[in-house]
Amino acid sequence: MPRSDYEGKDQIRKWISDVTPKHNKILDIAVGEGTYLNLFKDLENLQSCEWYGIEIWEPWVPKYKLDEIYDHFYLEDVRTFDYSKVGQTDITFAGDVIEHMKKEEALKLVNDLLEISDNLYTSIPIIYMPQGPDEGNPYEVHVKPDWSHEEVMDSFPNIKGFWGGPKIGVYHLSKS
């Protein structure tokens, strides 16, 4: 779905409210309808930040005006994107994306994002949650629908914070 489950978004808001931007850049990957931008662009500490968005499914660009709502927008695959186009970011959102790829791809993606991100926030189902294509988008399939909190904790480095609901886990990662 181009929209995220709201579970855990209040915790992410609390975490990012404490970020003091030094690069003035926020990266939102696999943006869907722009959930994270729409939820958090009003935060006072983020007012001077430029928002970068990446989405793979072209039909959502005009539907949600993605190339208009993001300061910088890329129609590309986050697994093969050249993150040097963005540079260092204060915040990167990888919300509801990890389950849409193989575990090896998810591990590489998180490592790539930690190279450029001071703070990485990810949201992922931590129960078995299969999903098929949505609105004709084959990228909406949950390729790995069976992440658990334990597997996330064992798989990803530098987890600084965790919040878990009945379905969704949100994680704050940082390279430092």
Side-chain angles (χ1 to χ4, degrees):
M1 293 179 280
R3 63 211 63 77
S4 299
D5 191 302
Y6 196 78
E7 195 172 276
K9 301 302 187 277
D10 287 338
Q11 179 60 53
I12 293 173
R13 179 177 277 276
K14 288 177 190 172
W15 284 332
I16 65 175
S17 293
D18 293 334
V19 172
T20 302
K22 58 185 176 194
H23 311 292
N24 293 319
K25 292 182 187 176
I26 299 171
L27 174 61
D28 187 4
I29 69 164
V31 302
E33 66 179 9
T35 300
Y36 289 88
L37 175 116
N38 291 323
L39 284 173
F40 304 132
K41 69 180 175 185
D42 66 322
L43 287 173
E44 189 173 324
N45 62 319
L46 305 183
Q47 293 303 305
S48 64
C49 293
E50 292 184 76
W51 283 76
Y52 292 73
I54 305 170
E55 175 57 53
I56 194 171
W57 187 240
E58 191 280 330
W60 287 346
V61 177
K63 181 174 184 174
Y64 300 111
K65 300 180 177 162
L66 299 175
D67 54 347
E68 296 174 30
I69 63 173
Y70 286 89
D71 298 307
H72 307 275
F73 179 76
Y74 303 93
L75 181 62
E76 295 191 39
D77 187 327
V78 299
R79 295 168 295 187
T80 57
F81 183 75
D82 176 4
Y83 290 97
S84 69
K85 293 179 187 178
V86 176
Q88 288 299 125
T89 66
D90 300 290
I91 293 171
T92 296
F93 295 111
D96 310 293
V97 63
I98 302 296
E99 66 274 18
H100 296 277
M101 57 187 70
K102 296 175 188 172
K103 182 174 181 176
E104 298 76 28
E105 294 171 319
L107 295 171
K108 181 184 180 314
L109 176 64
V110 167
N111 285 331
D112 289 349
L113 294 173
L114 285 173
E115 286 295 316
I116 62 150
S117 305
D118 291 349
N119 298 281
L120 171 60
Y121 302 95
T122 187
S123 173
I124 183 171
I126 53 174
I127 61 169
Y128 179 68
M129 189 179 286
Q131 178 177 292
D134 187 49
E135 296 183 31
N137 183 347
Y139 299 104
E140 284 296 311
V141 172
H142 284 186
V143 174
K144 183 167 173 26
D146 60 348
W147 284 96
S148 68
H149 170 65
E150 293 76 18
E151 185 176 12
V152 172
M153 295 299 290
D154 289 343
S155 299
F156 298 109
N158 304 64
I159 294 177
K160 305 297 182 192
F162 160 74
W163 178 93
K167 301 181 293 185
I168 305 294
V170 292
Y171 299 85
H172 172 203
L173 296 87
S174 175
K175 61 184 162 194
S176 57

